[in-house]
Amino acid sequence: MPHETLTRSTVASHNTADSLWCIIDHKVYDLSDFLDVHPGGSVVLEQVAGTDATETFYNLHRQEVLEKYSPLCIGVLENEKPEVIVPKPGDLSPVPYAEPLWLRPQFKSPYFNDSHRRLQKAVREFVDTHVTPEAQVKEKDGSYISQELIDRMAREHVLAMRLGPGKHLHGKVLLGGVKGEEFDYLHDLVQTQEFVRSNSRGFQDGNMAGMVISLTAVLQWMENKEIKNRVTEEVLSGKKNICLAITEAFAGSDVAGLRNGTKKWITNGMWCDYFVTGCRTEKGFSVLLISRGEGVETNPIKMSYSAAAGTAFVEFNNVKVPVENLLGVEHDGFIVIMSNFNHERFMMCCAVIRQSRTVVEECLKWCNQRIVFKRKLIEQPAIRQKLAKMVSHVEANQAWLEQIAYQMCSMSYAQQSKLLGGPIGLLKSFATRSAHEIADGAVNIFGGRGLTQTGMGRVVEQFHRTYKFDAILGGTEEILADLGVRQAMKGMPKSML
């Protein structure tokens, strides 16, 4: 912490390589011993020796750089106070459009109540404190989620909460003091969007995404209660891991065209103990719960995002599976997979819409601090047009998402499958198209920094590199758009000719 009160004239006198001070946001930094290790070289620092380098610094760096090197701060300027807001864990962002409308204190919502707000605040603090620090490290080195974080999420019932509403939550008290019995799909929306804020797309999937899209099928379709209860307890306690193994190199989004023996692009497959697996049977298609064991082999696949996701190629070589491990009805497993897709696609909508919002926030902050041609970037009309388009996409998608979540709250699992498969498919298709537009505009706004994996544009670069995962996983844009229209036409009255 700063321990001296200094004057600008004093700082100005420390302008040599041996004693190099500068001012950033009314704080004084001694960079004398930092010259040799500065990533940009000593020449850059020598140019700001003894001066107020606030504008220069924020043209080049994120606020987190100052936090990383806080020991270099030796004091504050006399009669001056820092102006930059440094958020604490759990804080809302004051940047316009950085938060969805219902979280902005000036606005109201017909959907969200006090329990949703308590959950949001508690989950954000949990993510900021426990998830984001690990996520940033794992995203870079490609290592898998730690057992420590899994155990922490298990203790706090976070793993159970991430499956969505259901009896598995009854009797539990969730983050923010929310009772498991009152947890609905709006709560589900809240927690899903908050977890995305770790800004680490590979780790985001590596953080038990496989469990979220597979254990739901076990809970809904496993007839054998002993197996269902045992597997659920093992997974929600963090003792074992589970993933969904449907996609194949042969079939891709054509689930009905599956063969047997291999699965590809299986999220979390590298470390999972159970695989909810789609299989071709004599009279159709069945879904089995397969345990890792003899005949089951997994190998990593290199993807556009980090290896932290644990994406795997899975081989099943003459694996024997007990009949009790069947999900749903034999030869009629298509309904198991299709109904399970609804919640998966809903969560993907939550995620890509929230990540798009984060990118908009990054652009708004950057345009407000970047100086070009002696003017802030935000003063350029062309830039404001880009921002207007990006904001409009985000706000429209969030409103549609909340509307669908509200409908889900009043529908049974079967009703959701029948009535919301099409709307959710259309929303996912449109939200990922919006992400395409937002990613494109954001890179242009950030320029070279938007192509750089570190520094000012790292969030934008990662989004531009990885947003297509949401456009492909869970069903491609074109297939989901077609699904939406075909479902709508099923309800078209024959008399409307």
Side-chain angles (χ1 to χ4, degrees), residues 35 72 115 119 127 221 232 263 320 322 359 362 373 407 445:
L35 279 175
L72 299 178
S115 69
L119 180 73
V127 171
W221 295 98
T232 300
K263 299 295 175 183
K320 294 182 178 180
V359 170
E362 290 288 306
F373 305 115
Q407 301 305 319
I445 287 173

Side-chain angles (χ1 to χ4, degrees), residues 53 264 389:
K264 195 171 185 180
K389 183 178 181 180

Side-chain angles (χ1 to χ4, degrees), residues 461-473:
E461 184 280 330
Q462 183 182 120
F463 185 69
H464 186 261
R465 173 166 41 89
T466 63
Y467 78 89
K468 290 299 289 186
F469 280 86
D470 298 293
I472 301 298
L473 304 185

